[in-house]
Amino acid sequence: MQSLLFDFLRVTELAAIASKPWVGSGDKISADGAATKAMREQLNKMKMDGTVVIGEGEIDEAPMLYIGEKVGLGNALAVDIAVDPIEGTTPTVNGQPNAITVIAAAPESTLLHAPDMYMKKIVVGPKAKGVIDIEATLELNISRVADATGKKIEDLNILIQDRARHQKYIDKIRNIGANVNLFSDGDVIYAAATCMEELDIDMFYGIGGAPEGVLGAVASRCLGGEMQAKLMPRNEDEIKRCNKMGIYEMEVPLSHQQLVSTDDCIFSATGITSNLFLKGIQRKNEHYITHSVLADGKTKQLRYIESNYPMMQLV
């Protein structure tokens, strides 16, 4: 996998650059289509036998990178790939913060094939690894994280998405005395943020998309943190989709090992617009400047990478 590390970085960089003309445009379809086209083209140049296990729908919804799509040159390492050509399409086309292009990869059959539905998630950084339990009360998890990090509860910072479905959690966190840090978009960004000590984020909690959950699980595994999750199907159709992907016990929590079962994994994200830890794409003197994070689960190394792309080379 490590031989593919910088190839995956190039995938997210070029997908982000392709989306740049659509920042502020209001056109979600064109923005996502441009990023997806660039991502597919780069993936198909890589020396691997790749399968998209987290994508954007089924085969009849092409040109999106669909679940089950084969990418790469073939006759090489078999790789599971989770993609989101634009995580934060709305912020992208509205010219707002928190839009990235993101990819995660690991050897074949090591990533959860998660259907597109809601998933409850809890994520912590390395200091609190091993103390959380998604089935325990929020109060108990917060208390355990405080003990593990050596902080007082009132000094804890907990990320949660600003959605009506989370209001009861927001109220509970505040009543306990911890600090609520609300965000509007960018589930994957904020799950990864718990593992970056300089950001001083102690926990991510809430309900969001299951595909984004797998991307966040790879990011946190690469960086030595822990994620637990639980699928939340809302109807019979979603239960059938779980069964189709080999998931039959939705009420059973998913451990980090079930979400991504290896340390031999890769996470790459490139900023489209600026966010908590990435700058958005800049255009200077006929060059694009990209800012990315690249994480390698085997070494637990996190790289911040700034790249310069002459526009004439992208034509």
Side-chain angles (χ1 to χ4, degrees):
M1 289 298 299
Q2 287 179 305
S3 67
L4 299 173
L5 197 61
F6 290 96
D7 291 322
F8 281 116
L9 170 66
R10 185 171 173 83
V11 170
T12 60
E13 287 177 338
L14 291 177
I17 288 170
S19 71
K20 174 64 174 174
W22 304 100
V23 172
S25 69
D27 188 344
K28 290 184 179 182
I29 294 173
S30 294
D32 209 27
T36 301
K37 181 175 182 288
M39 187 170 272
R40 176 182 279 119
E41 287 176 354
Q42 290 306 309
L43 286 170
N44 281 327
K45 294 176 182 178
M46 291 175 61
K47 294 179 181 179
M48 65 175 180
D49 184 2
T51 302
V52 176
V53 299
I54 300 290
E56 296 192 299
E58 305 299 332
I59 189 167
D60 59 353
E61 295 175 6
M64 297 303 140
L65 279 155
Y66 58 84
I67 297 167
E69 181 171 352
K70 297 292 184 180
V71 292
L73 296 172
N75 297 315
L77 179 68
V79 179
D80 279 356
I81 298 171
V83 301
D84 198 341
I86 300 182
E87 209 236 342
T89 312
T90 298
T92 297
V93 300
N94 287 339
Q96 297 170 325
N98 295 334
I100 62 173
T101 183
V102 60
I103 197 162
E108 184 180 26
S109 302
T110 57
L111 298 185
L112 178 74
H113 295 207
D116 189 5
M117 64 177 58
Y118 276 135
M119 172 187 272
K120 188 175 183 180
K121 312 165 195 178
I122 180 170
V123 191
V124 293
K127 288 183 179 178
K129 183 178 179 179
V131 306
I132 56 171
D133 179 357
I134 199 167
E135 292 286 77
T137 64
L138 186 51
E139 292 91 339
L140 181 56
N141 277 304
I142 288 173
S143 176
R144 288 176 174 175
V145 170
D147 289 342
T149 57
K151 287 185 173 184
K152 297 177 181 178
I153 285 177
E154 57 265 32
D155 293 328
L156 292 180
N157 296 309
I158 299 173
L159 285 167
I160 189 163
Q161 194 172 22
D162 189 7
R163 295 290 187 269
R165 63 180 178 269
H166 291 149
Q167 192 58 52
K168 61 183 178 181
Y169 303 134
I170 293 167
D171 293 342
K172 193 170 288 188
I173 293 166
R174 286 174 172 160
N175 287 336
I176 294 166
N179 302 301
V180 172
N181 292 19
L182 294 175
F183 66 93
S184 56
D185 298 280
D187 195 314
V188 178
I189 296 167
Y190 291 100
T194 60
C195 301
M196 299 176 184
E197 190 169 356
E198 69 274 16
L199 299 179
D200 195 28
I201 301 298
D202 301 292
M203 181 192 292
F204 170 102
Y205 193 85
I207 299 166
E212 292 83 358
V214 176
L215 285 159
V218 174
S220 54
R221 180 136 191 174
C222 282
L223 299 174
E226 181 181 6
M227 176 175 175
Q228 294 179 15
K230 191 172 184 179
L231 289 168
M232 302 183 71
R234 293 170 292 180
N235 51 50
E236 192 63 32
D237 283 344
E238 290 191 350
I239 290 172
K240 288 178 180 177
R241 283 162 67 191
C242 286
N243 295 162
K244 185 179 177 182
M245 293 187 174
I247 303 168
Y248 298 96
E249 297 179 328
M250 279 70 72
E251 70 283 356
V252 177
L254 296 164
S255 68
H256 209 167
Q257 181 71 10
Q258 290 169 296
L259 294 164
V260 50
S261 62
T262 178
D263 283 335
D264 193 14
C265 51
I266 292 169
F267 176 83
S268 178
T270 300
I272 299 171
T273 60
S274 296
N275 56 63
L276 197 60
F277 53 83
L278 287 175
K279 301 173 189 174
I281 294 179
Q282 297 171 291
R283 179 176 168 176
K284 293 183 179 179
N285 301 323
E286 302 304 311
H287 289 71
Y288 285 118
I289 311 298
T290 63
H291 194 225
S292 307
V293 289
L294 182 63
D296 168 16
K298 247 188 172 175
T299 64
K300 297 292 184 286
Q301 185 174 11
L302 174 66
R303 296 174 173 92
Y304 288 91
I305 298 172
E306 187 172 280
S307 298
N308 184 313
Y309 281 87
M311 292 175 65
M312 61 181 296
Q313 293 182 8
L314 300 171
V315 176

